[in-house]
Amino acid sequence: MSRDGGARPGWAIIVHGGAKEIEPDKEEANRQGCLAALAAGQTVLEQGGGAHEAVEAATRVLEDDPTFNAGFGSDLNTDGVVEMCAGLMDGSTYDIGSVAAIKGVRNPISVAQAMLREQPILLTAEGARRFAGEHGAELCAPNALISPEKRASRMKEDHDTVGCVALDQSGRIAAGTSTGGLEGTHPGRVGDSPLPGCGYYADSSIGGIAFSGDGENIARAMLAARVIQALEAGRSPEDAVRASLDHLHKVGGEAGGIAMGSEGRMGFAHNSPHFAVAWISDGMNGPRVQLRQDENS
Ligand code: ASP
């Protein structure tokens, strides 16, 4: 199935590698990184795994790839330290796991996954890292997440949060995000990415959404909530994201979002120069990847 219609697929998945400007020499890395993440999520879905497991699998690949500002290769705060945020929502149960300003874990999305069935929806900083250690997440020295390239390009602003929305064979939708935040922000700063209703949301009866961009402004405009309401009102995923970006104009900033309807239709929109997106469903001949919405028009 394409982004724009057809019969309901058995499964579907869409990933993004951030709303940002992609330099020509980084285009291929962005395409290949998104495709590799998509393949990891696809494998989970084809084997009958849950949508939240597919989101975790895809996001881990993006976190491990220094092309993206999540996990290894994250941006640095004003102390020169990597602090990360991640969120994951199972739209069939409304369970949420998220971590904010966490240091020294390889894959924040897996900490969010471990939290999914727990009572708290959000843990921060040291408490989040302690939870990660108690639940078998791979810990590391905070500096081990600084890629050589990031060290060299310090203070160059990037938006590279990663995100994923998936539909599994049981009709469950999940959405997730993972980010190193914005370069050069205050220690302890938290953006939209771990905040449900801002950076992401999933409701299997309506759809799912994951954003990247200027986190404070995405939160001010509660973009994910707007997309879910627009999907519920019957708008296509692409229209729903585009309409939410119209609200962003009130507060300014750049963003890009990937969305999926309950029936597996996928779409995306952005007001940033680029937005690396890849998607596939079981009705498609193969994956699609684009670095801009109008790339093939
Ligand atoms: N939204 C993220 C944040 O504000 C940044 C990004 O998209 O790269 O933390």
Side-chain angles (χ1 to χ4, degrees), residues 34 160 172 225 246 277:
C34 286
D160 297 280
R172 297 172 297 192
D246 289 341
V277 176

Side-chain angles (χ1 to χ4, degrees), residues 69 158-161 179 181-182 189 191-193 212-215 218:
N69 170 23
D158 268 332
H159 295 166
D160 297 280
T161 290
T179 187
L182 297 178
R189 176 264 182 192
D192 62 304
S193 305
S212 166
D214 293 309
I218 292 172

Side-chain angles (χ1 to χ4, degrees), residues 120-199:
I121 62 160
L122 174 61
L123 290 176
T124 65
E126 262 317 299
R129 191 168 193 263
R130 196 192 310 168
F131 177 92
E134 288 163 359
H135 289 78
E138 188 183 348
L139 303 182
C140 62
N143 283 353
L145 297 168
I146 305 176
S147 66
E149 190 180 26
K150 198 59 83 171
R151 214 180 278 277
S153 68
R154 179 101 202 268
M155 299 317 290
K156 176 179 170 293
E157 187 172 315
D158 268 332
H159 295 166
D160 297 280
T161 290
V162 303
C164 178
V165 182
L167 166 75
D168 67 27
Q169 295 186 37
S170 301
R172 297 172 297 192
I173 289 181
T177 60
S178 183
T179 187
L182 297 178
E183 183 74 56
T185 53
H186 197 284
R189 176 264 182 192
V190 175
D192 62 304
S193 305
L195 303 180
C198 297

